[in-house]
mmCIF file of all heavy atoms in Angstrom:
data_model
loop_
_atom_site.group_PDB
_atom_site.id
_atom_site.type_symbol
_atom_site.label_atom_id
_atom_site.label_comp_id
_atom_site.label_asym_id
_atom_site.label_seq_id
_atom_site.Cartn_x
_atom_site.Cartn_y
_atom_site.Cartn_z
ATOM 1 N N GLY N 425 0.165 20.388 9.772
ATOM 2 C CA GLY N 425 1.368 20.968 9.073
ATOM 3 C C GLY N 425 1.626 20.122 7.869
ATOM 4 O O GLY N 425 1.269 18.930 7.747
ATOM 5 N N PRO N 426 2.275 20.692 6.883
ATOM 6 C CA PRO N 426 2.380 20.054 5.580
ATOM 7 C C PRO N 426 3.360 18.711 5.597
ATOM 8 O O PRO N 426 2.848 17.706 4.984
ATOM 9 C CB PRO N 426 3.163 21.109 4.696
ATOM 10 C CG PRO N 426 3.028 22.369 5.425
ATOM 11 C CD PRO N 426 2.799 22.081 6.834
ATOM 12 N N THR N 427 4.349 18.766 6.212
ATOM 13 C CA THR N 427 5.281 17.631 6.173
ATOM 14 C C THR N 427 4.613 16.424 6.871
ATOM 15 O O THR N 427 4.648 15.242 6.272
ATOM 16 C CB THR N 427 6.606 17.838 6.826
ATOM 17 O OG1 THR N 427 7.207 19.018 6.261
ATOM 18 C CG2 THR N 427 7.619 16.724 6.706
ATOM 19 N N TYR N 428 4.091 16.539 8.022
ATOM 20 C CA TYR N 428 3.465 15.455 8.780
ATOM 21 C C TYR N 428 2.222 14.943 8.027
ATOM 22 O O TYR N 428 2.030 13.699 7.850
ATOM 23 C CB TYR N 428 3.190 15.824 10.139
ATOM 24 C CG TYR N 428 2.723 14.762 11.157
ATOM 25 C CD1 TYR N 428 3.456 13.521 11.128
ATOM 26 C CD2 TYR N 428 1.636 14.910 12.003
ATOM 27 C CE1 TYR N 428 3.022 12.487 12.041
ATOM 28 C CE2 TYR N 428 1.279 13.902 12.773
ATOM 29 C CZ TYR N 428 1.988 12.687 12.845
ATOM 30 O OH TYR N 428 1.589 11.729 13.597
ATOM 31 N N ALA N 429 1.381 15.854 7.580
ATOM 32 C CA ALA N 429 0.157 15.373 6.817
ATOM 33 C C ALA N 429 0.517 14.652 5.579
ATOM 34 O O ALA N 429 -0.104 13.584 5.314
ATOM 35 C CB ALA N 429 -0.714 16.622 6.533
ATOM 36 N N ILE N 430 1.457 15.182 4.743
ATOM 37 C CA ILE N 430 1.787 14.501 3.587
ATOM 38 C C ILE N 430 2.508 13.150 3.773
ATOM 39 O O ILE N 430 2.298 12.221 3.077
ATOM 40 C CB ILE N 430 2.647 15.435 2.653
ATOM 41 C CG1 ILE N 430 1.933 16.712 2.294
ATOM 42 C CG2 ILE N 430 3.208 14.642 1.396
ATOM 43 C CD1 ILE N 430 0.696 16.450 1.548
ATOM 44 N N SER N 431 3.256 13.101 4.887
ATOM 45 C CA SER N 431 3.903 11.846 5.220
ATOM 46 C C SER N 431 2.834 10.737 5.546
ATOM 47 O O SER N 431 2.953 9.577 5.079
ATOM 48 C CB SER N 431 4.815 12.020 6.483
ATOM 49 O OG SER N 431 5.777 12.817 6.132
ATOM 50 N N ILE N 432 1.837 11.101 6.252
ATOM 51 C CA ILE N 432 0.749 10.215 6.574
ATOM 52 C C ILE N 432 -0.069 9.829 5.270
ATOM 53 O O ILE N 432 -0.373 8.610 5.055
ATOM 54 C CB ILE N 432 -0.275 10.794 7.602
ATOM 55 C CG1 ILE N 432 0.550 10.882 8.982
ATOM 56 C CG2 ILE N 432 -1.479 9.936 7.797
ATOM 57 C CD1 ILE N 432 -0.162 11.728 9.989
ATOM 58 N N VAL N 433 -0.290 10.827 4.479
ATOM 59 C CA VAL N 433 -1.058 10.540 3.235
ATOM 60 C C VAL N 433 -0.209 9.498 2.345
ATOM 61 O O VAL N 433 -0.759 8.646 1.794
ATOM 62 C CB VAL N 433 -1.319 11.916 2.471
ATOM 63 C CG1 VAL N 433 -1.810 11.578 1.049
ATOM 64 C CG2 VAL N 433 -2.288 12.722 3.193
ATOM 65 N N LEU N 434 1.079 9.836 2.109
ATOM 66 C CA LEU N 434 1.878 8.926 1.374
ATOM 67 C C LEU N 434 1.980 7.545 1.921
ATOM 68 O O LEU N 434 1.928 6.537 1.262
ATOM 69 C CB LEU N 434 3.197 9.587 1.111
ATOM 70 C CG LEU N 434 3.275 10.757 0.359
ATOM 71 C CD1 LEU N 434 4.719 11.314 0.224
ATOM 72 C CD2 LEU N 434 2.707 10.559 -1.074
ATOM 73 N N SER N 435 2.078 7.407 3.279
ATOM 74 C CA SER N 435 2.091 6.085 3.895
ATOM 75 C C SER N 435 0.802 5.409 3.629
ATOM 76 O O SER N 435 0.806 4.149 3.309
ATOM 77 C CB SER N 435 2.362 6.326 5.409
ATOM 78 O OG SER N 435 3.574 6.876 5.658
ATOM 79 N N ALA N 436 -0.333 6.045 3.839
ATOM 80 C CA ALA N 436 -1.684 5.484 3.559
ATOM 81 C C ALA N 436 -1.786 5.152 2.200
ATOM 82 O O ALA N 436 -2.291 3.991 1.785
ATOM 83 C CB ALA N 436 -2.729 6.395 4.036
ATOM 84 N N GLN N 437 -1.362 5.945 1.237
ATOM 85 C CA GLN N 437 -1.476 5.691 -0.221
ATOM 86 C C GLN N 437 -0.636 4.392 -0.509
ATOM 87 O O GLN N 437 -1.201 3.508 -1.250
ATOM 88 C CB GLN N 437 -0.897 6.785 -0.971
ATOM 89 C CG GLN N 437 -1.054 6.751 -2.435
ATOM 90 C CD GLN N 437 -0.582 7.958 -3.159
ATOM 91 O OE1 GLN N 437 -0.083 9.001 -2.482
ATOM 92 N NE2 GLN N 437 -0.769 7.978 -4.481
ATOM 93 N N LEU N 438 0.603 4.319 -0.009
ATOM 94 C CA LEU N 438 1.387 3.128 -0.284
ATOM 95 C C LEU N 438 0.804 1.813 0.283
ATOM 96 O O LEU N 438 0.660 0.791 -0.340
ATOM 97 C CB LEU N 438 2.786 3.370 0.187
ATOM 98 C CG LEU N 438 3.808 2.199 -0.056
ATOM 99 C CD1 LEU N 438 3.936 2.062 -1.563
ATOM 100 C CD2 LEU N 438 5.153 2.613 0.562
ATOM 101 N N GLY N 439 0.305 1.899 1.544
ATOM 102 C CA GLY N 439 -0.328 0.787 2.176
ATOM 103 C C GLY N 439 -1.545 0.295 1.402
ATOM 104 O O GLY N 439 -1.713 -0.952 1.286
ATOM 105 N N PHE N 440 -2.456 1.207 1.078
ATOM 106 C CA PHE N 440 -3.684 0.757 0.388
ATOM 107 C C PHE N 440 -3.272 0.267 -1.111
ATOM 108 O O PHE N 440 -4.042 -0.621 -1.562
ATOM 109 C CB PHE N 440 -4.705 1.938 0.342
ATOM 110 C CG PHE N 440 -5.430 1.970 1.655
ATOM 111 C CD1 PHE N 440 -5.220 2.846 2.620
ATOM 112 C CD2 PHE N 440 -6.453 1.084 1.978
ATOM 113 C CE1 PHE N 440 -5.859 3.019 3.840
ATOM 114 C CE2 PHE N 440 -7.110 1.098 3.115
ATOM 115 C CZ PHE N 440 -6.848 2.038 4.084
ATOM 116 N N ALA N 441 -2.409 0.882 -1.713
ATOM 117 C CA ALA N 441 -1.977 0.376 -3.009
ATOM 118 C C ALA N 441 -1.481 -1.033 -2.972
ATOM 119 O O ALA N 441 -1.754 -1.820 -3.819
ATOM 120 C CB ALA N 441 -0.894 1.298 -3.618
ATOM 121 N N LEU N 442 -0.636 -1.333 -1.851
ATOM 122 C CA LEU N 442 -0.211 -2.695 -1.676
ATOM 123 C C LEU N 442 -1.357 -3.617 -1.409
ATOM 124 O O LEU N 442 -1.361 -4.704 -2.003
ATOM 125 C CB LEU N 442 0.785 -2.740 -0.463
ATOM 126 C CG LEU N 442 1.291 -4.091 -0.040
ATOM 127 C CD1 LEU N 442 2.035 -4.855 -1.110
ATOM 128 C CD2 LEU N 442 2.148 -3.933 1.231
ATOM 129 N N LEU N 443 -2.315 -3.232 -0.654
ATOM 130 C CA LEU N 443 -3.486 -4.006 -0.408
ATOM 131 C C LEU N 443 -4.262 -4.324 -1.662
ATOM 132 O O LEU N 443 -4.650 -5.459 -1.967
ATOM 133 C CB LEU N 443 -4.401 -3.299 0.571
ATOM 134 C CG LEU N 443 -5.730 -4.020 0.966
ATOM 135 C CD1 LEU N 443 -5.467 -5.306 1.646
ATOM 136 C CD2 LEU N 443 -6.651 -3.112 1.663
ATOM 137 N N TRP N 444 -4.536 -3.220 -2.492
ATOM 138 C CA TRP N 444 -5.329 -3.401 -3.664
ATOM 139 C C TRP N 444 -4.631 -4.166 -4.704
ATOM 140 O O TRP N 444 -5.173 -4.985 -5.379
ATOM 141 C CB TRP N 444 -5.860 -2.058 -4.202
ATOM 142 C CG TRP N 444 -6.876 -1.394 -3.284
ATOM 143 C CD1 TRP N 444 -7.917 -2.123 -2.533
ATOM 144 C CD2 TRP N 444 -6.999 -0.078 -2.921
ATOM 145 N NE1 TRP N 444 -8.596 -1.177 -1.729
ATOM 146 C CE2 TRP N 444 -8.084 0.048 -2.054
ATOM 147 C CE3 TRP N 444 -6.334 1.064 -3.337
ATOM 148 C CZ2 TRP N 444 -8.434 1.268 -1.509
ATOM 149 C CZ3 TRP N 444 -6.747 2.287 -2.798
ATOM 150 C CH2 TRP N 444 -7.775 2.476 -1.897
ATOM 151 N N ASP N 445 -3.345 -3.984 -4.822
ATOM 152 C CA ASP N 445 -2.492 -4.811 -5.766
ATOM 153 C C ASP N 445 -2.531 -6.234 -5.384
ATOM 154 O O ASP N 445 -2.711 -7.136 -6.203
ATOM 155 C CB ASP N 445 -1.089 -4.244 -5.805
ATOM 156 C CG ASP N 445 -0.833 -3.160 -6.815
ATOM 157 O OD1 ASP N 445 -1.700 -2.922 -7.573
ATOM 158 O OD2 ASP N 445 0.284 -2.587 -6.754
ATOM 159 N N SER N 446 -2.312 -6.492 -4.117
ATOM 160 C CA SER N 446 -2.230 -7.871 -3.597
ATOM 161 C C SER N 446 -3.642 -8.611 -3.824
ATOM 162 O O SER N 446 -3.584 -9.855 -4.043
ATOM 163 C CB SER N 446 -1.831 -7.922 -2.173
ATOM 164 O OG SER N 446 -0.646 -7.328 -1.974
ATOM 165 N N LEU N 447 -4.700 -7.953 -3.639
ATOM 166 C CA LEU N 447 -5.982 -8.535 -3.768
ATOM 167 C C LEU N 447 -6.553 -8.481 -5.196
ATOM 168 O O LEU N 447 -7.549 -9.179 -5.518
ATOM 169 C CB LEU N 447 -6.966 -7.913 -2.874
ATOM 170 C CG LEU N 447 -6.635 -8.039 -1.279
ATOM 171 C CD1 LEU N 447 -7.584 -7.173 -0.456
ATOM 172 C CD2 LEU N 447 -6.661 -9.523 -0.892
ATOM 173 N N GLY N 448 -5.970 -7.677 -5.997
ATOM 174 C CA GLY N 448 -6.396 -7.528 -7.446
ATOM 175 C C GLY N 448 -7.758 -6.835 -7.575
ATOM 176 O O GLY N 448 -8.493 -7.130 -8.459
ATOM 177 N N TRP N 449 -8.041 -5.883 -6.661
ATOM 178 C CA TRP N 449 -9.303 -5.183 -6.623
ATOM 179 C C TRP N 449 -9.340 -4.138 -7.718
ATOM 180 O O TRP N 449 -8.330 -3.685 -8.192
ATOM 181 C CB TRP N 449 -9.508 -4.557 -5.285
ATOM 182 C CG TRP N 449 -9.823 -5.445 -4.191
ATOM 183 C CD1 TRP N 449 -10.075 -6.836 -4.262
ATOM 184 C CD2 TRP N 449 -10.041 -5.183 -2.794
ATOM 185 N NE1 TRP N 449 -10.346 -7.393 -3.081
ATOM 186 C CE2 TRP N 449 -10.366 -6.324 -2.143
ATOM 187 C CE3 TRP N 449 -10.067 -3.965 -2.155
ATOM 188 C CZ2 TRP N 449 -10.638 -6.411 -0.821
ATOM 189 C CZ3 TRP N 449 -10.299 -4.011 -0.817
ATOM 190 C CH2 TRP N 449 -10.621 -5.208 -0.093
ATOM 191 N N LEU N 450 -10.565 -3.763 -8.058
ATOM 192 C CA LEU N 450 -10.865 -2.658 -9.014
ATOM 193 C C LEU N 450 -10.187 -2.799 -10.379
ATOM 194 O O LEU N 450 -9.720 -1.880 -10.975
ATOM 195 C CB LEU N 450 -10.371 -1.303 -8.319
ATOM 196 C CG LEU N 450 -10.955 -0.947 -7.015
ATOM 197 C CD1 LEU N 450 -10.271 0.241 -6.316
ATOM 198 C CD2 LEU N 450 -12.509 -0.745 -7.164
ATOM 199 N N GLY N 451 -10.102 -4.060 -10.801
ATOM 200 C CA GLY N 451 -9.627 -4.373 -12.138
ATOM 201 C C GLY N 451 -8.072 -4.344 -12.273
ATOM 202 O O GLY N 451 -7.540 -4.464 -13.355
ATOM 203 N N LEU N 452 -7.411 -4.328 -11.075
ATOM 204 C CA LEU N 452 -5.920 -4.352 -11.079
ATOM 205 C C LEU N 452 -5.436 -5.803 -11.308
ATOM 206 O O LEU N 452 -6.088 -6.740 -10.846
ATOM 207 C CB LEU N 452 -5.338 -3.800 -9.775
ATOM 208 C CG LEU N 452 -5.628 -2.283 -9.551
ATOM 209 C CD1 LEU N 452 -5.123 -2.035 -8.107
ATOM 210 C CD2 LEU N 452 -4.885 -1.466 -10.512
ATOM 211 N N THR N 453 -4.281 -5.899 -11.979
ATOM 212 C CA THR N 453 -3.654 -7.223 -12.070
ATOM 213 C C THR N 453 -3.109 -7.561 -10.669
ATOM 214 O O THR N 453 -2.466 -6.785 -10.022
ATOM 215 C CB THR N 453 -2.488 -7.185 -13.084
ATOM 216 O OG1 THR N 453 -2.949 -6.678 -14.358
ATOM 217 C CG2 THR N 453 -1.764 -8.470 -13.247
ATOM 218 N N ARG N 454 -3.436 -8.768 -10.297
ATOM 219 C CA ARG N 454 -3.090 -9.210 -8.926
ATOM 220 C C ARG N 454 -1.554 -9.390 -8.861
ATOM 221 O O ARG N 454 -0.921 -10.065 -9.688
ATOM 222 C CB ARG N 454 -3.727 -10.495 -8.508
ATOM 223 C CG ARG N 454 -3.615 -10.825 -7.175
ATOM 224 C CD ARG N 454 -4.624 -11.926 -6.687
ATOM 225 N NE ARG N 454 -4.563 -12.090 -5.267
ATOM 226 C CZ ARG N 454 -4.440 -13.243 -4.637
ATOM 227 N NH1 ARG N 454 -4.286 -14.389 -5.351
ATOM 228 N NH2 ARG N 454 -4.292 -13.274 -3.369
ATOM 229 N N VAL N 455 -0.981 -8.748 -7.902
ATOM 230 C CA VAL N 455 0.461 -8.853 -7.619
ATOM 231 C C VAL N 455 0.731 -9.588 -6.347
ATOM 232 O O VAL N 455 0.141 -9.279 -5.291
ATOM 233 C CB VAL N 455 1.124 -7.412 -7.560
ATOM 234 C CG1 VAL N 455 2.514 -7.571 -7.161
ATOM 235 C CG2 VAL N 455 0.844 -6.594 -8.780
ATOM 236 N N PRO N 456 1.417 -10.729 -6.373
ATOM 237 C CA PRO N 456 1.623 -11.514 -5.125
ATOM 238 C C PRO N 456 2.190 -10.687 -3.995
ATOM 239 O O PRO N 456 3.157 -9.933 -4.162
ATOM 240 C CB PRO N 456 2.605 -12.571 -5.566
ATOM 241 C CG PRO N 456 2.438 -12.691 -7.066
ATOM 242 C CD PRO N 456 2.137 -11.231 -7.478
ATOM 243 N N PHE N 457 1.547 -10.797 -2.864
ATOM 244 C CA PHE N 457 2.074 -10.105 -1.578
ATOM 245 C C PHE N 457 3.336 -10.731 -1.125
ATOM 246 O O PHE N 457 3.446 -11.972 -1.069
ATOM 247 C CB PHE N 457 1.001 -10.192 -0.540
ATOM 248 C CG PHE N 457 1.400 -9.563 0.778
ATOM 249 C CD1 PHE N 457 1.226 -8.162 0.935
ATOM 250 C CD2 PHE N 457 1.860 -10.298 1.809
ATOM 251 C CE1 PHE N 457 1.637 -7.609 2.081
ATOM 252 C CE2 PHE N 457 2.206 -9.728 2.971
ATOM 253 C CZ PHE N 457 2.170 -8.345 3.151
ATOM 254 N N THR N 458 4.369 -9.845 -0.795
ATOM 255 C CA THR N 458 5.627 -10.484 -0.198
ATOM 256 C C THR N 458 5.927 -9.716 1.081
ATOM 257 O O THR N 458 5.426 -8.621 1.376
ATOM 258 C CB THR N 458 6.879 -10.206 -1.122
ATOM 259 O OG1 THR N 458 7.049 -8.842 -1.286
ATOM 260 C CG2 THR N 458 6.548 -10.785 -2.561
ATOM 261 N N MET N 459 6.663 -10.396 1.910
ATOM 262 C CA MET N 459 7.130 -9.832 3.155
ATOM 263 C C MET N 459 7.909 -8.563 2.941
ATOM 264 O O MET N 459 7.915 -7.605 3.739
ATOM 265 C CB MET N 459 7.824 -10.806 4.083
ATOM 266 C CG MET N 459 6.940 -11.891 4.686
ATOM 267 S SD MET N 459 5.585 -11.141 5.555
ATOM 268 C CE MET N 459 6.353 -10.447 6.921
ATOM 269 N N GLN N 460 8.711 -8.474 1.865
ATOM 270 C CA GLN N 460 9.584 -7.350 1.607
ATOM 271 C C GLN N 460 8.663 -6.121 1.369
ATOM 272 O O GLN N 460 9.094 -4.992 1.759
ATOM 273 C CB GLN N 460 10.454 -7.577 0.344
ATOM 274 C CG GLN N 460 11.565 -8.545 0.574
ATOM 275 C CD GLN N 460 11.121 -9.945 0.187
ATOM 276 O OE1 GLN N 460 9.976 -10.288 0.016
ATOM 277 N NE2 GLN N 460 12.128 -10.792 0.065
ATOM 278 N N GLN N 461 7.551 -6.309 0.715
ATOM 279 C CA GLN N 461 6.603 -5.194 0.478
ATOM 280 C C GLN N 461 6.050 -4.677 1.806
ATOM 281 O O GLN N 461 6.021 -3.495 2.093
ATOM 282 C CB GLN N 461 5.478 -5.593 -0.379
ATOM 283 C CG GLN N 461 5.923 -5.878 -1.780
ATOM 284 C CD GLN N 461 4.822 -6.537 -2.611
ATOM 285 O OE1 GLN N 461 3.987 -7.324 -2.099
ATOM 286 N NE2 GLN N 461 4.783 -6.285 -3.935
ATOM 287 N N LEU N 462 5.697 -5.667 2.688
ATOM 288 C CA LEU N 462 5.158 -5.238 3.988
ATOM 289 C C LEU N 462 6.198 -4.507 4.847
ATOM 290 O O LEU N 462 5.991 -3.463 5.439
ATOM 291 C CB LEU N 462 4.683 -6.519 4.766
ATOM 292 C CG LEU N 462 4.135 -6.212 6.174
ATOM 293 C CD1 LEU N 462 2.877 -5.188 6.122
ATOM 294 C CD2 LEU N 462 3.767 -7.515 6.805
ATOM 295 N N VAL N 463 7.473 -5.015 4.840
ATOM 296 C CA VAL N 463 8.536 -4.358 5.618
ATOM 297 C C VAL N 463 8.785 -2.905 5.035
ATOM 298 O O VAL N 463 9.047 -2.007 5.793
ATOM 299 C CB VAL N 463 9.856 -5.235 5.503
ATOM 300 C CG1 VAL N 463 11.049 -4.495 6.047
ATOM 301 C CG2 VAL N 463 9.660 -6.558 6.338
ATOM 302 N N GLY N 464 8.773 -2.775 3.699
ATOM 303 C CA GLY N 464 8.922 -1.490 3.096
ATOM 304 C C GLY N 464 7.862 -0.465 3.589
ATOM 305 O O GLY N 464 8.241 0.585 3.963
ATOM 306 N N VAL N 465 6.635 -0.885 3.550
ATOM 307 C CA VAL N 465 5.520 -0.021 4.090
ATOM 308 C C VAL N 465 5.753 0.288 5.542
ATOM 309 O O VAL N 465 5.644 1.441 6.004
ATOM 310 C CB VAL N 465 4.136 -0.571 3.859
ATOM 311 C CG1 VAL N 465 3.117 0.149 4.506
ATOM 312 C CG2 VAL N 465 3.915 -0.727 2.403
ATOM 313 N N LEU N 466 6.113 -0.676 6.389
ATOM 314 C CA LEU N 466 6.320 -0.561 7.795
ATOM 315 C C LEU N 466 7.534 0.362 8.072
ATOM 316 O O LEU N 466 7.523 1.149 8.989
ATOM 317 C CB LEU N 466 6.512 -1.872 8.539
ATOM 318 C CG LEU N 466 5.250 -2.711 8.531
ATOM 319 C CD1 LEU N 466 5.561 -4.132 9.169
ATOM 320 C CD2 LEU N 466 4.151 -2.072 9.300
#
């Protein structure tokens, strides 16, 4: 269904964006990982 599928997609998108930002992968500027970011994703 649309709502559940998109909710999962957006959660995964946010989680992986946090991971890639924190690690500075794919040419991204490294952004320090914080517990507030993790809590936000959770």
